[in-house]
Structures are given as structure tokens and as C-alpha cells.
């Protein structure tokens, strides 16, 4: 009798081949509207999608939203209107490789590059000397940590949903949200990683190989978190700016109460908001009202 994994493989290959040849579904009206209300800017030779909405009159505050893996800026759709009632400008982008942004292949995707793209968007929008509120989740949290390490000023970054491996080897977490408060002028352009080839994939590569290489490249952020743990957790532990966590107790990635206890031990200076017991990994989608209230209460306390 053949090994079970051989049988699974023989069955999976034709099914995957059929799946890869199914035309992609049409965008929903909501996604079409989201895309049409945004635009693109160029980072090197990549087209990066972003949305920039003007909101509250009389406020000069700006908030930039960083989404998680494997999603896009649409993660913030349920709190977008609420944010525009508090902030003068609400801005979100799709990281390269995600959403409506370019997905180059081959490409060496990295947290460092994504952080440089955020800096590029800030410069593109003429906000380099503007105080910025940075709200991040999941994959975007690690990007936020890198921005904190670079000391991009002025910057306010709030930790909403800290679910990331970098904080500890004990919790296999994968996302976190940060908030930083600073003053003065931004540090100016910072270096970004040059595009590096991860190999060649021309006509000899089938669609399954190409997609596998793409996913493998994107998922390298997990190894990057392990490699640069001291850099990114150190940035959180050494910063003097306010940190805040908004936590969903039902999150399977960061079990309650172990995660919360460890978080408070590692970052005792941070404040915490715990949502209702049924809230899990995507609090901004599962409980947009509770999430938004917790976020605004933290901001308005300064």
C-alpha cells in the first residue's frame, strides 16, 4: 500500500491544476467601489494602491493604516467612516504583493521593503513633516516595528492587536498593532532593500510552480521575524512613546490568558483594551464599534 502522502499528492495535483485554470471571480461591488475610490503611486517600478480620504474639519491629525496577512487595506472598511470623523486624513495602502498592488515575480519580499514603501507613500503625499498616527494589524505590525526602529518622526503608532512571533519564542503569534507618539521632523529617506532575484521562472515554470514560489517568497516574513526578533521587539521595549493593545480574547493565535500575561510582562508600559469574549483575530471586522471606541479613547487621552 502506498504511503498516504503519495495518495494525497496524486489526488491533489489534478485538483490544483483544475483550480488554477478556473477564471478568478469578479470583484464584488464593495471591492470595486474600494478600488475606484483609491489611486496608485510608484515605488521604484512597482504600482502601489492606496486610499486617502479627507475627513474631520478643523483637525490636522493623520492616520495611516497597515493591513495584515494575507489580506489588504479592505480590512479597515468597517471603521473607515468612523476614522474620518476623527482624523483630517485617513490613509491605507496595499503592501506590494497584496490586494490591488503589484505582485512581482520573482521578487524577494521583505518587511524592510514594505516599511520603505510606507515611507515612500508618506513622502508622495507630502506628509513627511506631518504628525502621523499609524495603526497596524498582523503582518503590518512587524512593518510598524521596523518603522519604530528607524525612528521615523513625527510618528504616533498604536499597538492594537499584538499577535506577532517577534515578541517571544513562546507564543507562535503572527500579528500585532502599534501606536507611537513623537515630535520633531521626520528623519528623511531611509534605505530600502534592492530587489533581488529569488531565481528564474520563465516559460519552463508552470502556474503551480510560479504560485508556489510567490507564496514561499511572501511567507519569508515569518523567518524574518525570527531573525530580527531582537531588533523589532527591542524597538518596542526601548521606545518612550505610548503603546496600546486592543485584544480579542478568543484569538486562537494568541490564547487567553497566557498571551495577555506575557504581553504585560514584556511591555509593562503599554495600556490594554480587552474586547468581548467572542472577539477573535480580526477585531476591527468582528467588533468595529468596540474596536473603534477603544482606539479613539486611547488617542483622545493625549
Amino acid at each position: 500500500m502506498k504511503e498516504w502522502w503519495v495518495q494525497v499528492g496524486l489526488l491533489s495535483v489534478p485538483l490544483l491544476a483544475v483550480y488554477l485554470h478556473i477564471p478568478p471571480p469578479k470583484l464584488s461591488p464593495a471591492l470595486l467601489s474600494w478600488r475606484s475610490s483609491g489611486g496608485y503611486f510608484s515605488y521604484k517600478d512597482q504600482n502601489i494602491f492606496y486610499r486617502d480620504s479627507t475627513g474631520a474639519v478643523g483637525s490636522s491629525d493623520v492616520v495611516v493604516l497597515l493591513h495584515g496577512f494575507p489580506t489588504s487595506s479592505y480590512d479597515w472598511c468597517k471603521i473607515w467612516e468612523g476614522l474620518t470623523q476623527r482624523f483630517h486624513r485617513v490613509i491605507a495602502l496595499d503592501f506590494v504583493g497584496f490586494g490591488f498592488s503589484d505582485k512581482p515575480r520573482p521578487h524577494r519580499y521583505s518587511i524592510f521593503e514594505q516599511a520603505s514603501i510606507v515611507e515612500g507613500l508618506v513622502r508622495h503625499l507630502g506628509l513627511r513633516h506631518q504628525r502621523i498616527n499609524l495603526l497596524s494589524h498582523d503582518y503590518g505590525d512587524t512593518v510598524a516595528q521596523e518603522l519604530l526602529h528607524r525612528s521615523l518622526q513625527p510618528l504616533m503608532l498604536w499597538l492594537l492587536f499584538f499577535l506577532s512571533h517577534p515578541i517571544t519564542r513562546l507564543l507562535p503569534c503572527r500579528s500585532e498593532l502599534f501606536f507611537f507618539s513623537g515630535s520633531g521632523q521626520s528623519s528623511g529617506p531611509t534605505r530600502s532593500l534592492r530587489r533581488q532575484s529569488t531565481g528564474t521562472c520563465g516559460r519552463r515554470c508552470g502556474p503551480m510552480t510560479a504560485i508556489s514560489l510567490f507564496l514561499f517568497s511572501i511567507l519569508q516574513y515569518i523567518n524574518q521575524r525570527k531573525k530580527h526578533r531582537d531588533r523589532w521587539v527591542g524597538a518596542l521595549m526601548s521606545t518612550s512613546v505610548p503603546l496600546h493593545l486592543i485584544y480579542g480574547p478568543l484569538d486562537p493565535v494568541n490564547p487567553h490568558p497566557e498571551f495577555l500575561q506575557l504581553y504585560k510582562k514584556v511591555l509593562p508600559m503599554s495600556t490594554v483594551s480587552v474586547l468581548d469574549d467572542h472577539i477573535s483575530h480580526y477585531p476591527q471586522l468582528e467588533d468595529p464599534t468596540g474596536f473603534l471606541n477603544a482606539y479613539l479613547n486611547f488617542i483622545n487621552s493625549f
Side-chain angles (χ1 to χ4, degrees), residues 52-65 82-91 127 129-134 154-156 158 180-182 295-296 298-302:
D52 180 8
S53 295
T54 301
V57 177
S59 171
S60 61
D61 292 344
V62 177
V63 61
V64 176
L65 314 177
L83 291 174
T84 61
Q85 296 175 13
R86 168 59 177 80
F87 293 94
H88 175 60
R89 291 174 73 175
V90 180
I91 300 163
L127 300 174
H129 304 294
Q130 173 72 42
R131 177 175 175 140
I132 294 174
N133 301 277
L134 184 59
L155 185 68
M156 181 176 281
W158 285 264
F180 307 97
S181 176
Y295 177 66
L296 295 182
F298 173 73
I299 291 180
N300 294 333
S301 67
F302 295 96

Side-chain angles (χ1 to χ4, degrees), residues 142-245:
T142 311
V143 178
Q145 285 174 277
E146 172 57 22
L147 289 171
L148 180 60
H149 178 83
R150 297 181 187 189
S151 297
L152 179 63
Q153 299 292 343
L155 185 68
M156 181 176 281
L157 183 70
W158 285 264
L159 178 74
L160 295 177
F161 198 92
F162 196 97
L163 306 178
S164 175
H165 183 86
I167 194 170
T168 174
R169 294 179 183 273
L170 300 179
L171 291 180
C173 311
R174 65 175 186 180
S175 74
E176 63 287 345
L177 298 171
F178 305 96
F179 310 89
F180 307 97
S181 176
S183 60
Q185 295 185 345
S186 58
S187 57
T190 54
R191 63 180 178 83
S192 60
L193 296 184
R194 292 177 296 175
R195 294 184 64 188
Q196 301 181 35
S197 173
T198 56
T200 58
C201 185
R203 295 181 179 178
R204 289 176 294 179
C205 288
M208 189 159 55
T209 302
I211 290 178
S212 297
L213 290 174
F214 174 71
L215 291 176
F216 176 79
S217 184
I218 286 283
L219 287 170
Q220 286 306 301
Y221 81 91
I222 297 175
N223 292 330
Q224 292 165 22
R225 282 177 165 179
K226 296 177 182 179
K227 181 177 180 180
H228 302 289
R229 178 185 182 277
D230 291 343
R231 174 188 180 99
W232 292 331
V233 175
L236 290 176
M237 297 178 67
S238 62
T239 186
S240 60
V241 300
L243 300 177
H244 186 70
L245 164 70

Side-chain angles (χ1 to χ4, degrees), residues 243-255:
L243 300 177
H244 186 70
L245 164 70
I246 300 178
Y247 178 63
L250 199 60
D251 179 14
V253 182
N254 299 274

Side-chain angles (χ1 to χ4, degrees), residues 71-118:
T71 50
S72 70
S73 58
Y74 192 68
D75 279 359
W76 308 107
C77 64
K78 289 188 177 182
I79 64 170
W80 193 270
E81 183 177 354
L83 291 174
T84 61
Q85 296 175 13
R86 168 59 177 80
F87 293 94
H88 175 60
R89 291 174 73 175
V90 180
I91 300 163
L93 77 160
D94 290 347
F95 292 124
V96 63
F98 297 80
F100 296 123
S101 291
D102 282 353
K103 302 169 184 63
R105 293 178 291 180
H107 187 76
R108 181 166 294 179
Y109 292 89
S110 75
I111 295 298
F112 299 99
E113 179 187 41
Q114 306 287 21
S116 294
I117 289 173
V118 175

